[in-house]
């Protein structure tokens, strides 16, 4: 299946709004998505996009702050606290978003935001109630549920059993499984 990334959503939204230039704090995948829309990546911009960035620093924060203080628009691509890779976890974007919120009210381009859902509906042909939204985070489940889809949460470490027990009603999946292989046996 296909994956719709928050970087792609941010790029398409910038393009839809007629943006020619954007400042980007993020990794190569997101930068490429934005450049593919014909948008120039520059510090001299009225729009900023903040994605997962392992090299984020004070200088990048200052550039985003300057754009926000000049009434520019700021997009953030995730609300996740932890980035889980195999056995290793590291801080994700939520802490950076907190810093950005000190001087801006950024729009969420990622899940479970409205912008992501709008672009999802345009990007995919799907039938609510007859399609599945699969992910490893509660934001994935909340997105799928709000789209009227069957949801499956793969418990690979990104979401703990305790977090699942404490989840809001919109974050409760139809299936919670330890692997995608088990999902296929449940649905097919």
């Amino acid at each position: 299946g296909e994956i719709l990334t928050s970087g792609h959503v941010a790029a398409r939204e910038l393009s839809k709004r007629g943006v020619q230039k954007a400042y980007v704090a993020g990794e190569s995948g997101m930068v490429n998505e934005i450049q593919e829309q014909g948008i120039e990546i520059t510090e001299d911009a009225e729009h900023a996009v903040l994605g997962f960035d392992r090299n984020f620093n004070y200088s990048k924060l200052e550039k985003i702050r300057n754009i926000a203080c000049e009434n520019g628009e700021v997009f953030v691509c995730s609300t996740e606290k932890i980035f889980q890779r195999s056995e290793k976890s590291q801080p994700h974007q939520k802490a950076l978003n907190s810093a950005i919120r000190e001087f801006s009210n950024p729009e969420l381009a990622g899940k479970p935001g409205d912008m992501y859902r709008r672009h999802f509906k345009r990007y995919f042909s799907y039938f609510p109630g007859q399609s599945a939204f699969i992910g490893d985070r509660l934001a994935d489940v909340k997105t799928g549920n709000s789209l009227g889809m069957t949801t499956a949460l793969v418990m690979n470490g990104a979401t703990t059993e305790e977090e699942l027990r404490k989840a809001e009603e919109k974050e409760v999946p139809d299936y919670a499984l330890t692997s995608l292989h088990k999902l296929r046996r449940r649905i097919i």
Side-chain angles (χ1 to χ4, degrees):
E2 292 187 56
I3 297 173
L4 179 62
T5 67
S6 58
H8 183 81
V9 169
R12 297 289 297 179
E13 186 69 22
L14 289 169
S15 178
K16 179 182 154 199
R17 294 181 187 189
V19 173
Q20 302 291 313
K21 300 177 186 179
Y23 176 72
V24 178
E27 304 209 346
S28 62
M30 186 174 68
V31 169
N32 292 339
E33 291 275 9
I34 292 170
Q35 288 175 327
E36 286 174 10
Q37 294 296 315
I39 298 167
E40 178 186 351
I41 306 294
T42 178
E43 294 177 13
D44 179 32
E46 295 178 0
H47 297 78
V49 181
L50 173 61
F52 182 64
D53 186 345
R54 284 175 264 235
N55 295 307
F56 193 79
N57 58 38
Y58 188 82
S59 176
K60 291 179 181 183
L61 177 63
E62 181 68 12
K63 289 171 187 157
I64 295 171
R65 185 190 76 82
N66 289 341
I67 289 169
C69 288
E70 294 293 321
N71 296 318
E73 291 184 298
V74 178
F75 295 170
V76 295
C77 290
S78 177
T79 58
E80 297 300 329
K81 234 187 325 189
I82 300 294
F83 180 70
Q84 186 73 36
R85 255 200 168 151
S86 300
E87 299 298 317
K88 183 182 174 190
S89 67
Q90 64 189 79
H92 202 309
Q93 193 174 336
K94 190 172 187 171
L96 303 179
N97 293 354
S98 294
I100 299 298
R101 281 194 183 93
E102 288 296 317
F103 44 80
S104 174
N105 186 21
E107 289 184 71
L108 177 60
K111 297 172 274 186
D114 293 335
M115 184 188 304
Y116 186 90
R117 289 193 309 272
R118 280 194 319 274
H119 283 271
F120 183 94
K121 290 175 183 179
R122 287 187 202 120
Y123 190 82
F124 290 107
S125 296
Y126 78 100
F127 300 97
Q130 297 179 350
S131 302
F133 200 100
I134 303 166
D136 61 354
R137 300 172 187 274
L138 294 176
D140 299 325
V141 173
K142 186 174 183 177
T143 302
N145 284 339
S146 66
L147 290 165
M149 301 172 80
T150 297
T151 55
L153 180 66
V154 181
M155 303 293 292
N156 63 0
T159 301
T160 66
E161 288 183 33
E162 182 178 337
E163 288 170 322
L164 181 57
R165 279 193 295 275
K166 293 178 180 178
E168 302 171 12
E169 185 177 336
K170 287 187 172 201
E171 296 174 326
V172 176
D174 296 303
Y175 300 97
L177 307 164
T178 56
S179 74
L180 284 175
H181 178 70
K182 290 184 180 180
L183 178 66
R184 184 164 29 133
R185 285 190 286 176
R186 292 257 179 134
I187 292 181
I188 298 176

